[in-house]
Amino acid sequence: MNEKKRIFLWISFLIMLIQSGICFAAQAPYGTLQAGAGETLIQIPPEFFPAQGFDGIHDPLYVKTLLLDNGVNKTAVVSIDMTSLGNVNQLKSIIQKTAGIQPDNIFIYAAHNFSSPHVFPGMTENAAENKKTAMFASALAKAVEAATQKAVTGMQPASIGYGTGISNVNINRDELTAGGWWHGSNETGYSDKELSVMKIDSLSGKPLAIFMNYSVQSSIMDESVSNQGKKLISTDLAGAATKYVEDQYKEDGTVAFFGVGAAGDQAPIFMANRYMTDNKGVSIRTDIHDDGYILLGLIGERLGYDAIKVSRKIIDKQTSVDLSVIHDSVVCKSQKMPMSKTADMKPVKQYTYQIDGEVKVPIDIMKIGNIALVGIQPELASKIGADIKKGSPVKNTMVLTMVNGAAKYMADKDSYDKFTYEARNSKYAKGSAELVENKIISMLTQLNSRSKASE
């Protein structure tokens, strides 16, 4: 074949492609976003009580699953109404089996409501208590499977959008008392008031899921007891806020999620069992018992209402998105934890931190179009979370803690100098949070550059 004929054939081939509407350079590597959301009650059997200090249930706990599929990749974000998670791998296996999603593509996190049981194998030497813990773990596993199956069944073409607003339901809990820095309500301390909302709609405009991210501990009823002296299970602020949202969209069957942000030093603005300082600066704790549920309802309503306001303003929505997850870690210096929690439950003016080797901190980031979900196990200080969002090159960034495991507090540098509760009750040495912040921004920069290169 001579050169002229070869060129003629190539030109003819290209013309045929153009006439057929095929353009490889412009073809998206992914199709229309598919999404599904499901939630299921954790069925705690009556014989579980009393256990782990709990005598009954005030309001039930839930598992909520959000599945995303862009035709190339599948991811899951799973919320569990618990203080922390100790059986992450087991739960990820259930999700993988039910939804066909690889464990590395699953974000599973605790909503961090303090009024809920733990699942830590062999957490006590009491055989009866361990049996009850296993009973709760079984109920949890069934709920994870059921919620995920509902999400699978509900998969449909969807759009996704993002917005932010302000909510004034958190307050810095580190307050200077006569004995040193301790729990309290510090209005002059730093609080990130930004409320981030990710909204997933069906193509007809029906809201399938509303995901809110905010820096506050779900602890309005923490350590509070009823008028009869009973301690009750509750979803607390996370549950009250998401319930308010779901009630507003009851006809649509919308599933609302609460993702706890950088809330290590952030308490709800009002608490039932709260610390206050007297006229001498001495910290005193007081409980209002059953009246605390009035606070819970009002503050939850406010946070949920603010989330709905944000979601209503979301106009820019994507139906074809990049969907990817990256993982990395950073090595930080570690410090010894207090030998006894009760011995350290007081404010101090002096404290000696003991460096004890190194500890690896895993970091997971999920990118959904122009939205980045940063997942980390430790409870970050609010300022660190805000700085990550400000430094992120991804237009819309959420910082989620308690993701894929729990690792207690990771305070900012200033907290170590003040000897705050978070700094003393941490396995991470001073400067760890700032190292993690820099690593996260570096990962976001790489992820953003890679996404632009593939466009």
Side-chain angles (χ1 to χ4, degrees):
M1 183 183 297
N2 60 40
E3 187 66 18
K4 287 184 179 180
K5 190 172 183 179
R6 184 182 292 109
I7 294 173
F8 174 79
L9 289 173
W10 271 110
I11 291 173
S12 299
F13 178 68
L14 290 173
I15 290 173
M16 181 189 71
L17 291 179
I18 292 171
Q19 289 176 339
S20 300
I22 300 173
C23 182
F24 292 114
Q27 188 176 25
Y30 30 76
T32 300
L33 177 70
Q34 300 275 329
E39 66 179 324
T40 299
L41 178 75
I42 301 175
Q43 298 282 358
I44 306 174
E47 55 268 28
F48 173 79
F49 301 100
Q52 298 186 30
F54 293 103
D55 301 289
I57 301 173
H58 178 271
D59 52 280
L61 308 179
Y62 286 86
V63 173
K64 303 183 179 187
T65 299
L66 173 64
L67 301 179
L68 300 170
D69 183 348
N70 70 347
V72 175
N73 209 5
K74 297 179 181 180
T75 64
V77 181
V78 181
S79 167
I80 298 180
D81 287 333
M82 289 178 62
T83 309
S84 60
L85 296 175
N87 56 339
V88 171
N89 291 336
Q90 176 196 357
L91 299 179
K92 280 191 173 187
S93 296
I94 295 171
I95 298 164
Q96 180 182 17
K97 182 179 180 180
T98 308
I101 298 175
Q102 295 302 310
D104 279 352
N105 282 359
I106 299 171
F107 274 28
I108 184 167
Y109 69 90
H112 204 40
N113 48 304
F114 283 40
S115 300
S116 59
H118 291 277
V119 178
F120 295 128
M123 60 185 293
T124 73
E125 295 181 359
N126 186 308
E129 282 290 313
N130 288 336
K131 184 178 180 180
K132 290 183 177 183
T133 298
M135 190 184 298
F136 180 84
S138 176
L140 172 61
K142 291 176 182 177
V144 168
E145 181 179 6
T148 303
Q149 185 57 59
K150 286 182 181 180
V152 170
T153 303
M155 290 293 286
Q156 60 185 286
S159 66
I160 187 167
Y162 181 92
T164 60
I166 298 296
S167 189
N168 290 296
V169 301
N170 64 350
I171 192 167
N172 192 296
R173 71 174 188 165
D174 293 331
E175 184 175 21
L176 183 59
T177 71
W181 288 88
W182 192 237
H183 303 306
S185 299
N186 183 3
E187 292 183 349
T188 63
Y190 183 83
S191 285
D192 181 9
K193 304 291 185 180
E194 183 176 77
L195 170 62
S196 301
V197 175
M198 181 172 66
K199 186 182 181 187
I200 297 93
D201 291 334
S202 68
L203 295 189
S204 64
K206 173 183 173 181
L208 302 176
I210 293 177
F211 189 104
M212 67 184 84
N213 175 224
Y214 187 73
S215 295
V216 67
Q217 292 185 342
S218 194
S219 57
I220 293 173
M221 301 305 297
D222 181 31
E223 296 299 328
S224 179
V225 297
S226 69
N227 293 340
Q228 291 75 37
K230 304 292 185 179
K231 187 177 177 183
L232 304 177
I233 286 174
S234 171
T235 55
D236 211 278
L237 180 53
T242 54
K243 184 179 186 302
Y244 178 84
V245 172
E246 291 178 352
D247 284 347
Q248 300 304 306
Y249 294 100
K250 188 172 293 183
E251 292 183 0
D252 296 318
T254 306
V255 180
F257 295 75
F258 175 84
V260 60
D265 57 355
Q266 302 298 304
I269 193 166
F270 297 113
M271 299 176 65
N273 193 351
R274 66 212 180 278
Y275 286 94
M276 301 290 288
T277 55
D278 63 15
N279 62 349
K280 296 181 181 179
V282 176
S283 181
I284 300 172
R285 197 170 192 183
T286 306
D287 191 358
I288 59 172
H289 308 296
D290 286 352
D291 289 342
Y293 292 109
I294 299 174
L295 287 179
L296 177 57
L298 292 174
I299 300 174
E301 176 185 287
R302 170 52 56 182
L303 182 56
Y305 176 72
D306 289 341
I308 289 176
K309 283 198 300 182
V310 174
S311 69
R312 285 175 179 165
K313 295 178 181 178
I314 297 173
I315 299 174
D316 183 20
K317 300 177 183 178
Q318 299 173 285
T319 56
S320 182
V321 300
D322 169 31
L323 189 58
S324 56
V325 182
I326 62 171
H327 310 274
D328 208 337
S329 62
V330 60
V331 176
C332 302
K333 290 183 179 179
S334 63
Q335 64 183 26
K336 288 185 178 180
M337 295 280 285
M339 294 297 293
S340 170
K341 183 178 179 181
T342 55
D344 198 54
M345 289 291 285
K346 62 181 180 180
V348 298
K349 293 184 177 180
Q350 290 293 328
Y351 185 81
T352 301
Y353 301 103
Q354 299 180 52
I355 303 301
D356 185 33
E358 295 180 333
V359 58
K360 182 183 287 187
V361 183
I363 301 168
D364 308 308
I365 300 178
M366 182 184 297
K367 191 169 185 295
I368 312 168
N370 61 7
I371 304 169
L373 274 61
V374 176
I376 190 168
Q377 294 177 1
E379 298 177 69
L380 295 174
S382 185
K383 183 179 184 302
I384 298 296
D387 287 345
I388 291 171
K389 290 186 289 185
K390 289 176 185 176
S392 173
V394 180
K395 183 180 179 182
N396 308 307
T397 299
M398 290 183 172
V399 177
L400 277 66
T401 58
M402 315 296 291
V403 174
N404 295 332
K408 289 190 73 66
Y409 303 105
M410 182 179 278
D412 61 287
K413 285 182 178 180
D414 290 344
S415 293
Y416 287 83
D417 297 331
K418 296 175 180 177
F419 312 120
T420 66
Y421 174 83
E422 299 87 40
R424 287 182 284 143
N425 285 272
S426 173
K427 66 179 180 181
Y428 305 103
K430 180 180 179 180
S432 296
E434 289 73 17
L435 282 176
V436 168
E437 175 190 330
N438 291 335
K439 181 64 177 180
I440 289 172
I441 293 175
S442 174
M443 290 172 65
L444 286 166
T445 301
Q446 293 174 16
L447 183 59
N448 197 50
S449 298
R450 191 174 73 183
S451 295
K452 286 184 176 180
S454 64
E455 291 177 354

